[in-house]
Amino acid sequence: MTTYNIDSRGTACPGPITDLIRSYRKAANGDMIILLATDPGVIPDAKSWCGATRNMLVDAKEKDGEYEVTIKVTAKK
Amino acid sequence: MEVGHMAEGNSFNIVVSTGTAEKLLMLGVLSQTGANLGIPVRIFVTGTAIKSFKKDGYKEKPVLPAGFENYMKDMISGLEKLKTDSWHKMLETAMEIGDVKIFACSLMTSALGLKKADLDPLVDSIVGATDFMIQSAGGQIVIF
């Protein structure tokens, strides 16, 4: 299992989700993606993306204006 | 599901007819978002937006919407601080990661005497409204 750590802090919509997709393309089922961002839309966007693509949102939290989203890759064919 | 097709067979289609800065930025945002979601995006460039899709047109100073000049200056300043890509860079990224195609309106390009070689290389081809309508049939169309 590989963990992809993505630092999208300082970028704005749709930058964090674009960074997520770039890592997702390289990932395999079972891999984890941890996305750090400062864009306030990242948590709802990541939740929607996981719902639409059937990947698993493991955790999403905010602390001091930064957001950390953890996703388990489950929908690769 | 390589990127995440929300609605296979559907497409998101954008008619951009006004070439002001805020609309071009939204064109970039929506195109890149569609590409992120694996949704085919088809863009029909017409009206005053053609100006920005002439070869190197994106390098020209952006046109601000009348009446919002000061507001737009604040917005552009804020966007620069956020490391936001330019609308043109967003389109390039969208085309790199997804199924995104840009078409120029044959009526407007004819009126302006523009050929394919006069347009931004991102433009796939010059088409008429019929071709665009057939390509976008069944999908969502937004106009701005």
Side-chain angles (χ1 to χ4, degrees):
Chain A
M1 185 199 85
T2 302
T3 298
Y4 294 86
N5 290 290
I6 311 166
D7 187 353
S8 294
R9 289 175 295 181
T11 69
C13 171
I17 301 301
T18 302
D19 292 340
L20 166 65
I21 298 298
R22 287 187 197 280
S23 289
Y24 181 69
R25 287 189 157 195
K26 293 181 268 183
N29 284 335
D31 288 349
M32 303 295 284
I33 299 175
I34 300 173
L35 173 64
L36 289 178
T38 47
D39 185 281
V42 70
I43 289 180
D45 281 2
K47 281 181 179 174
S48 292
W49 181 81
C50 285
T53 59
R54 298 183 179 86
N55 287 287
M56 184 189 299
L57 183 72
V58 176
D59 191 31
K61 57 193 174 194
E62 184 266 340
K63 186 181 177 186
D64 300 328
E66 294 193 357
Y67 305 89
E68 183 179 298
V69 176
T70 304
I71 292 166
K72 183 175 183 181
V73 176
T74 56
K76 295 292 287 248
K77 285 184 178 172
Chain B
M1 198 171 285
E2 186 56 30
V3 178
H5 288 272
M6 290 176 61
E8 288 188 24
N10 280 343
S11 59
F12 186 64
N13 308 284
I14 303 169
V15 177
V16 54
S17 64
T18 309
T20 47
E22 87 287 8
K23 294 192 176 178
L24 292 172
L25 177 63
M26 195 45 53
L27 174 69
V29 170
L30 292 177
S31 300
Q32 196 170 317
T33 301
N36 282 344
L37 293 171
I39 300 171
V41 178
R42 299 292 179 263
I43 299 164
F44 188 67
V45 181
T46 186
T48 56
I50 291 281
K51 179 177 182 289
S52 298
F53 283 86
K54 288 162 70 174
K55 188 172 276 181
D56 293 330
Y58 72 94
K59 295 177 182 174
E60 294 178 11
K61 193 175 174 185
V63 178
L64 306 182
F68 290 90
E69 290 84 356
N70 288 334
Y71 177 86
M72 285 300 296
K73 281 175 189 164
D74 289 345
M75 182 186 288
I76 289 169
S77 171
L79 289 168
E80 286 170 355
K81 288 177 190 157
L82 285 171
K83 294 197 286 184
T84 305
D85 284 337
S86 71
W87 66 269
H88 194 266
K89 178 64 181 168
M90 286 187 191
L91 281 182
E92 286 180 344
T93 301
M95 296 175 88
E96 171 200 330
I97 64 177
D99 177 12
V100 178
K101 286 195 169 71
I102 302 172
F103 304 102
C105 169
S106 62
L107 173 63
M108 295 299 170
T109 51
S110 296
L112 295 164
L114 298 171
K115 307 290 184 198
K116 171 75 171 68
D118 301 316
L119 300 174
D120 190 300
L122 294 184
V123 174
D124 181 272
S125 56
I126 295 172
V127 304
T130 301
D131 183 75
F132 180 73
M133 288 292 285
I134 289 170
Q135 289 207 47
S136 57
Q140 301 175 66
I141 300 180
V142 295
I143 304 174
F144 51 74

